[in-house]
Amino acid sequence: MHDTDFEGRVVARGRQFFGSIKGEAPSVFNKGFWTGKVMDWAMQNEDFKIQLFRFVDVLPYLNTSESLQRHIEEYFSGQGSGDIPPVLKWGAEKSGGLFGSFAAKAMGKLIRANIEGMARQFIIGQNTKEAVSSLQKIRKDGFAFTVDLLGEATVSEEEAQAYMQGYMELLDALAKTQSSWQPLKLSGVAPLSDLDWGHTPKLNVSIKPSALYSQAKAVDVEDTVQGILARLRPIYRKVRELGGALCIDMESLKFKEATLELFKRLRTETEFRDYPHLSIVLQSYLRCTDEDLSDLLTWARERSLPIGIRLVKGAYWDQETIVAVQNGWPVPVWTKKPETDAAFERHARLIMQDHERVYFQCGSHNIRSIAMVMETARDLAVPPERYEFQVLYGMAEPVRKGLKNVADRVRLYCPYGELLPGMAYLVRRLLENTANESFLKQSFADQADMDRLLENPLSTLEREKAQAASPQAAAREFSQRAGFKNMPLVDFTVPEARMAFPEAIARIRTQRGRTWPLFINGREVVTQDAIASYNPADPEEILGHVCQAGREEVDQALQAAQQALPSWRDTSPADRAAYLFKAADICRRRVYELSAWQVLEVGKQWDQAYNDVAEAVDFLEYYGREMIRLGTPQRMGNAPGEVNELFYQAKGIAAVIAPWNFPLAISVGMVSAAIVTGNPVIYKPSSLSSLVGYGLVEIFQEAGLPAGVFNYCPGRSSVMGDYLVEHPQISLIAFTGSVDVGLRIMDKAAKVHPGQDQCKRVIAEMGGKNAIIIDDDADLDEAVPQVLYSAFGFQGQKCSACSRVIVLDAIYDRFMDRLRDAALSVKIGPGEHPGNFMGPVVDRNQQQNVLAAIAVAKEEGRIAVQREVPGNGCYAPMTIVEGIRPEHRTAQEEIFGPVLAVMRAKDFTEALEMANNSRFALTGGVFSRSPKRLEQARKDFRVGNLYLNRNNTGALVYRQPFGGFKMSGVGSKAGGPDYLLQFMDPRVITENTMRRGFAPIASDDEWVG
């Protein structure tokens, strides 16, 4: 905490600042205008605020009067236009008092005009001409600028190239006008050069780097940096030619490391090393900024390089917090506003201490923060030419006016661009202005006490520490209360995670050529029959040879399981669950090794493989807890004089027949469910993923599972498949795979064989023909990449994958243009390279199956995209085919590969009919911003798992129990509260407790009725 004298000076300067702008308010809070009235309403009504921001977000997509009016009613009334809040209709009377005679169309136009006017308040223009005109006016008012082109959500390389060209056009336009600009000068000081304030270029641009490369990924820092640099160099070269300055903006955390590296590369390149006008943004709300700032200052010092740093507090707090909590990661931002304010002051002081090397750009509207910077500059004797202040265009006009009066050096951050991408920026600004902890809101709308506003944030923290817990703590409390929490998914912003994959892949490659045995009754069993397992990205790479079980080995496994059944069945549920918890710990410890096997054996990408292991851990943890819950006998009924208890027992021996596409997760899920419910297991992995399957042997061995409870029997289906299914000692069969095999299993299991003493239970998940609907108001920045991921993640080899996308007429062309360009932009190659979006299919047979399906698709529709693929390996081309109708084979038959059928619907009802027109009912998705249509989808889109405004793969245990109906399978949802019940038989015992008219005294509720 600063000394008392310093704090006194900061408060005094802050009071002086407030006094100089007394009676003024930012226009965004001016209730004499529509924007001010709406903002005031939003701050008083949280529901209205949410609906307003969502409506602002969708507005640019509403291109017809009907669509506009429908959304107005859906967002703001639900009853009709008569119930729309008066604040939205304010101003109509001023237009002649004719509102009552206007139809809904007129009101819609009014609301659109007002919101577009609100957007223009924060954006200097929609095109280059408007932007240059606004910038000239800004300079005439005595402010410098940095200009930023909106539209950073690029989903393809074509869009990224267009974004770069947008900057080149802007710079060309500024080149023609900047020579006429007079340099800004400090009050009372004659200009000594053609530079603003005597030291900084007149032309200044900011850029969102990720927009320059559509394939930017946290997992692939090097390719991301190289991809961005290729388009950033020409921009910076032009900036330098014009004598300007460039600032590289910091975006969300996933791009932070690449952005820092990008800045360092550009700053040290020979061409630019002697040009000092390059800055980078740092965000004080990130916990890691202390370390990042220290490293950056050291880096610049060691290379004797002058740099610029714009320090801001950060604009993505909600997003970073929600993403972290959803994925089980530590929250990366400070969770209390005073923590961020304190970090900002800490960072500002560190930067100003190095003022001879670092040009400081203080980005804040907070008068306390501004006063602290000014007093720190005074203490450290920082010359005026070594720092400036920056505020956002359209916000905090009194603050920027007061700043100009006391510091002169004020730069406005000026976004420009079309309203479509501009709305996302507007929503961020509205959130900023209306947040309860917003300094501007507290200062100008809430009229908060000045002493509180100028209080040292460390003192504020001390005062508030007893208040509400952080989101991170709240999430932890919920997880503890629920008794289960998902394993965190992989976070590639952590360098150790990125380094671990190549190391693990290299380690398991040292085992190539090994022969892998069966595992029966706690012992390894070697057979003469073995098949090779190869890397689908390079079939010449033999990973190992897997022994195959025949009928003799199946009999041995059944005998072992039969011997283990009585004692394992009678082991307490808690003790059985304990083995699963041990196995989960083992999986966590070996997560990268278990992932690496999937990368090589089935061609998964790093994240796909890691998340598969995480799901396996979730199954172990969740089913263990569920068995403990179900293992407690339940008292049934409340009649006096008797006790009724319901409880469960194991069914018998389980045959688990697992797939290759989720080779660890689904295997572990089915096996652990059987084991924890007391059923010994004969496990048959897919022949395409038997090495991954052997991981279960190692996991359960290390966990100490008793011999005979788990038996690993890979084998040829033609030799031992039917024999296992039909064997009279098998009580239940858990299967995941194709519908043809699933139906065959059910048929075989339905027949009773000699020696069989119970009906067999079949639990089968058998695939899907899943559809995603794109409504006419869908956010294509989200829909396009999510459809691409749903369709082609792991090469479309997921039962949940999107194989049909159904697009409404009104948005069809826009969607297809962006989807086509996005598909042409992704990288294809081996999954072990982190930059590749798509890899090979699982084997040569699958490759031929997909190629045959593509041939059918070519006959039925029009190929929109067919990517070139590497010649070596089991690659099938990424294919998107248009013109598919519901009756086509391509729309009905499961392909299980990288083929996406595009279907056109005239309206949302027809789209739902198309989506439901399938014998499968597994997953589905809808991208829409219409509340009524989302509700219609909830009711009428009949699938097991429906996803609204997100991809339709990646269900998480407990959060999204997974499974479908119709021909997608039989049984309860995996990872849900009913799943274990399928592996057990319920029993009820009734005891008469009355003896000669006497019964034990019961609690009061047992006598009710």
Side-chain angles (χ1 to χ4, degrees):
M1 190 171 287
H2 299 303
D3 61 57
T4 305
D5 176 65
F6 180 88
E7 278 300 310
R9 286 189 282 119
V10 169
V11 171
R13 185 181 286 272
R15 285 181 170 278
Q16 184 181 9
F17 199 122
F18 269 117
S20 70
I21 60 174
K22 187 176 181 180
E24 300 187 39
S27 57
V28 73
F29 295 126
N30 188 334
K31 297 179 186 178
F33 297 97
W34 186 88
T35 296
K37 286 187 174 292
V38 170
M39 293 293 282
D40 182 60
W41 193 292
M43 288 184 289
Q44 297 179 44
N45 187 323
E46 185 68 20
D47 290 339
F48 174 79
K49 171 181 168 179
I50 292 169
Q51 295 301 88
L52 173 66
F53 291 176
R54 289 180 174 175
F55 180 75
V56 167
D57 182 51
V58 74
L59 178 65
Y61 283 83
L62 308 180
N63 296 321
T64 67
S65 297
E66 182 279 328
S67 179
L68 176 63
Q69 183 58 28
R70 177 168 59 84
H71 281 77
I72 290 172
E73 294 183 6
E74 289 181 25
Y75 276 87
F76 298 114
S77 70
Q79 303 294 326
S81 60
D83 294 325
I84 291 171
V87 68
L88 289 179
K89 298 183 282 191
W90 184 82
E93 295 81 359
K94 297 176 183 281
S95 301
L98 299 175
F99 184 79
S101 64
F102 272 101
K105 184 185 294 186
M107 184 185 68
K109 287 182 178 179
L110 173 73
I111 293 175
R112 179 192 288 279
N114 280 329
I115 289 179
E116 289 180 354
M118 181 190 294
R120 291 190 183 94
Q121 181 173 331
F122 299 96
I123 300 169
I124 61 170
Q126 292 195 69
N127 53 49
T128 302
K129 182 179 179 181
E130 290 180 3
V132 171
S133 175
S134 296
L135 293 176
Q136 289 175 322
K137 183 178 186 305
I138 286 167
R139 290 190 61 81
K140 285 181 182 178
D141 291 340
F143 296 98
F145 70 82
T146 182
V147 62
D148 166 64
L149 176 59
L150 295 167
E152 57 266 26
T154 55
V155 302
S156 68
E157 285 301 270
E158 183 171 319
E159 291 181 3
Q161 183 68 21
Y163 189 75
M164 185 194 85
Q165 287 304 126
Y167 269 96
M168 300 302 282
E169 292 170 9
L170 171 67
L171 291 170
D172 286 340
L174 291 175
K176 296 175 184 177
T177 59
Q178 75 158 339
S179 60
S180 65
W181 296 343
Q182 293 299 311
L184 300 177
K185 61 181 181 179
L186 301 176
S187 298
V189 179
L192 301 177
S193 70
D194 195 41
L195 299 174
D196 280 345
W197 311 315
H199 66 271
T200 186
K202 292 182 286 187
L203 186 153
N204 191 302
V205 296
S206 294
I207 195 162
K208 300 285 192 302
S210 71
L212 295 172
Y213 183 54
S214 66
Q215 303 307 300
K217 296 179 179 180
V219 69
D220 189 16
V221 173
E222 181 57 30
D223 281 3
T224 295
V225 171
Q226 293 291 354
I228 296 172
L229 269 176
R231 292 194 174 98
L232 185 57
R233 283 192 193 97
I235 295 172
Y236 191 40
R237 191 174 293 128
K238 184 74 172 179
V239 168
R240 181 180 177 178
E241 289 172 7
L242 299 176
L246 175 70
C247 184
I248 299 174
D249 275 339
M250 191 67 70
E251 303 172 83
S252 60
L253 177 64
K254 64 182 178 181
F255 298 126
K256 185 209 69 171
E257 190 169 349
T259 303
L260 287 167
E261 182 62 25
L262 171 73
F263 172 79
K264 293 175 182 178
R265 299 265 184 102
L266 195 63
R267 185 65 190 89
T268 53
E269 286 190 352
T270 304
E271 179 181 0
F272 305 118
R273 184 179 176 89
D274 295 329
Y275 195 69
H277 300 298
L278 182 68
S279 300
I280 188 170
V281 173
L282 294 181
Q283 300 163 316
S284 287
Y285 72 178
L286 288 175
R287 296 171 183 266
C288 57
T289 298
D290 287 290
E291 182 178 354
D292 291 337
L293 174 59
S294 177
D295 289 346
L296 186 60
L297 294 176
T298 301
W299 175 87
R301 191 178 309 118
E302 290 174 348
R303 288 157 182 77
S304 299
L305 285 174
I307 63 172
I309 296 177
R310 178 199 293 158
L311 187 66
V312 301
K313 293 180 182 176
Y316 303 91
W317 187 93
D318 295 272
Q319 175 184 319
E320 299 290 11
T321 303
I322 291 168
V323 168
V325 173
Q326 281 185 347
N327 288 286
W329 302 334
V331 175
V333 294
W334 299 111
T335 54
K336 297 178 181 177
K337 181 65 165 57
E339 291 175 320
T340 296
D341 291 339
F344 185 89
E345 295 190 8
R346 187 167 66 245
H347 300 152
R349 176 169 285 270
L350 280 172
I351 294 169
M352 287 190 287
Q353 285 172 348
D354 208 356
H355 62 264
E356 292 182 358
R357 193 175 325 280
V358 183
Y359 181 64
F360 178 42
Q361 297 140 66
C362 172
S364 179
H365 303 127
N366 185 312
I367 293 174
R368 156 75 200 195
S369 301
I370 292 168
M372 178 271 170
V373 166
M374 297 180 80
E375 286 303 318
T376 301
R378 173 184 164 186
D379 275 6
L380 299 175
V382 181
E385 65 270 17
R386 298 307 297 158
Y387 72 107
E388 66 178 51
F389 295 93
Q390 296 190 3
V391 295
L392 296 172
Y393 176 82
M395 285 180 62
E397 296 96 325
V399 174
R400 81 184 191 196
K401 175 184 173 183
L403 261 176
K404 187 176 180 304
N405 291 337
V406 299
D408 281 322
R409 306 172 312 284
V410 182
R411 187 179 306 279
L412 305 186
Y413 184 91
C414 301
Y416 92 99
E418 298 176 1
L419 285 181
L420 183 63
M423 286 302 172
Y425 177 81
L426 173 59
V427 169
R428 289 205 299 270
R429 297 289 75 84
L430 295 178
L431 281 168
E432 224 172 297
N433 278 285
T434 59
N436 287 333
E437 293 185 311
S438 160
F439 185 89
L440 293 178
K441 176 177 181 288
Q442 291 182 12
S443 302
F444 298 106
D446 298 345
Q447 302 294 316
D449 179 69
M450 191 183 301
D451 288 338
R452 285 287 175 89
L453 293 171
L454 296 174
E455 184 179 46
N456 187 313
L458 294 176
S459 301
T460 308
L461 270 176
E462 186 67 25
R463 182 167 48 78
E464 294 180 351
K465 67 180 181 180
Q467 293 183 357
S470 69
Q472 190 174 15
R476 185 165 57 248
E477 179 186 339
F478 173 80
S479 296
Q480 290 170 348
R481 187 168 64 247
F484 167 81
K485 61 179 178 180
N486 298 97
M487 177 175 169
L489 303 182
V490 63
D491 181 4
F492 285 121
T493 67
V494 178
E496 291 77 10
R498 299 195 302 272
M499 293 164 53
F501 266 92
E503 293 170 358
I505 291 169
R507 280 199 308 274
I508 69 169
R509 274 200 162 111
T510 63
Q511 301 184 58
R512 282 181 298 191
R514 174 181 166 188
T515 296
W516 300 79
L518 312 180
F519 185 77
I520 297 172
N521 202 25
R523 296 189 300 273
E524 294 182 352
V525 175
V526 177
T527 64
Q528 295 304 306
D529 182 18
I531 61 173
S533 180
Y534 58 81
N535 179 354
D538 179 11
E540 299 301 315
E541 181 180 19
I542 304 301
L543 302 172
H545 295 85
V546 183
C547 290
Q548 299 294 287
R551 293 189 176 191
E552 179 181 348
E553 288 75 29
V554 171
D555 285 340
Q556 293 174 20
L558 284 166
Q559 183 179 1
Q562 193 66 46
Q563 290 173 349
L565 175 60
S567 62
W568 185 246
R569 178 185 58 203
D570 294 339
T571 299
S572 74
D575 287 343
R576 294 198 301 259
Y579 287 102
L580 267 59
F581 299 148
K582 290 177 186 176
D585 289 339
I586 294 163
C587 289
R588 289 189 190 93
R589 192 184 73 243
R590 297 177 56 185
V591 60
Y592 291 107
E593 175 196 350
L594 295 169
S595 301
W597 279 114
Q598 297 191 49
V599 171
L600 292 186
E601 192 176 28
V602 298
K604 286 203 173 190
Q605 291 73 33
W606 291 8
D607 61 333
Q608 305 275 344
Y610 187 103
N611 294 346
D612 186 86
V613 180
E615 186 177 7
V617 171
D618 288 348
F619 278 130
L620 292 164
E621 291 282 355
Y622 182 70
Y623 289 157
R625 285 166 172 76
E626 280 294 286
M627 190 62 245
I628 292 172
R629 176 179 69 86
L630 294 170
T632 303
Q634 300 175 54
R635 181 77 179 267
M636 309 298 290
N638 55 16
E642 68 177 32
V643 174
N644 304 286
E645 283 191 338
L646 173 102
F647 61 98
Y648 301 95
Q649 70 174 21
K651 290 189 75 68
I653 299 172
V656 172
I657 303 172
W660 50 262
N661 64 332
F662 288 88
L664 191 75
I666 292 180
S667 292
V668 166
M670 295 190 295
V671 167
S672 64
I675 286 175
V676 81
T677 50
N679 305 281
V681 168
I682 315 298
Y683 167 57
K684 180 190 178 303
S686 166
S687 61
L688 302 178
S689 58
S690 295
L691 300 185
V692 175
Y694 193 84
L696 274 71
V697 174
E698 298 172 335
I699 292 164
F700 286 127
Q701 255 194 307
E702 187 176 344
L705 200 65
V709 173
F710 173 75
N711 302 278
Y712 169 77
C713 293
R716 302 175 193 274
S717 295
S718 60
V719 174
M720 53 87 79
D722 287 350
Y723 183 71
L724 180 62
V725 168
E726 294 177 320
H727 200 284
Q729 285 185 286
I730 293 294
S731 298
L732 67 95
I733 301 148
F735 166 78
T736 299
S738 72
V739 64
D740 291 339
V741 175
L743 293 175
R744 178 183 175 87
I745 287 173
M746 283 186 266
D747 180 60
K748 295 285 184 182
K751 294 181 175 64
V752 178
H753 295 273
Q756 181 177 337
D757 60 6
Q758 64 173 302
C759 300
K760 295 183 181 183
R761 165 82 46 91
V762 177
I763 305 155
E765 194 273 282
M766 301 187 298
K769 190 67 182 174
N770 313 298
I772 291 178
I773 295 172
I774 309 298
D775 198 1
D776 56 14
D777 66 352
D779 182 349
L780 297 189
D781 287 349
E782 292 289 334
V784 169
Q786 295 294 351
V787 167
L788 200 69
Y789 177 83
S790 297
F792 302 112
F794 187 39
Q795 298 70 265
Q797 299 174 120
K798 302 178 183 179
C799 51
S800 58
C802 172
S803 59
R804 299 176 294 153
V805 60
I806 303 168
V807 190
L808 267 63
D809 261 328
I811 205 169
Y812 185 91
D813 291 336
R814 287 165 66 191
F815 173 81
M816 279 306 300
D817 286 345
R818 297 191 74 185
L819 180 68
R820 186 183 300 108
D821 291 340
L824 292 171
S825 299
V826 299
K827 296 180 180 180
I828 297 175
E832 62 183 289
H833 189 290
N836 289 328
F837 176 83
M838 202 184 95
V841 294
V842 72
D843 75 337
R844 295 184 183 96
N845 288 334
Q846 186 70 5
Q847 180 186 39
Q848 293 306 311
N849 291 339
V850 175
L851 291 175
I854 291 172
V856 172
K858 284 182 178 178
E859 294 177 0
E860 295 180 331
R862 303 180 305 278
I863 299 296
V865 173
Q866 188 163 55
R867 290 291 305 276
E868 295 269 336
V869 293
N872 181 42
C874 304
Y875 291 92
M878 172 188 283
T879 302
I880 301 175
V881 58
E882 295 183 87
I884 298 299
R885 297 296 304 162
E887 65 272 14
H888 287 154
R889 288 174 59 188
T890 305
Q892 293 295 331
E893 297 177 2
E894 187 175 36
I895 297 172
F896 225 64
V899 181
L900 176 64
V902 185
M903 306 169 72
R904 187 192 288 256
K906 67 177 185 293
D907 56 36
F908 195 74
T909 298
E910 183 182 59
L912 283 171
E913 291 171 355
M914 288 181 172
N916 287 325
N917 184 9
S918 168
R919 64 175 180 157
F920 298 102
L922 187 57
T923 72
V926 175
F927 280 88
S928 175
R929 288 180 284 189
S930 164
K932 283 190 176 178
R933 287 183 176 175
L934 291 175
E935 189 57 37
Q936 185 180 357
R938 289 173 186 270
K939 175 176 174 287
D940 295 332
F941 198 159
R942 299 188 179 277
V943 289
N945 286 71
L946 178 63
Y947 299 97
L948 306 179
N949 291 313
R950 55 150 282 179
N951 67 77
N952 69 333
T953 65
L956 292 176
V957 171
Y958 176 67
R959 278 161 60 176
Q960 296 116 12
F962 184 77
F965 44 92
K966 294 169 73 172
M967 285 295 176
S968 286
V970 293
S972 295
K973 285 177 169 293
D978 305 324
Y979 190 71
L980 293 188
L981 296 176
Q982 305 168 110
F983 293 78
M984 300 182 290
D985 289 320
R987 295 173 58 192
V988 172
I989 295 177
T990 298
E991 179 185 359
N992 175 16
T993 60
M994 186 166 64
R995 299 290 185 271
R996 300 187 181 279
F998 167 79
I1001 297 174
S1003 59
D1004 291 341
D1005 61 344
E1006 291 186 52
W1007 293 92
V1008 175

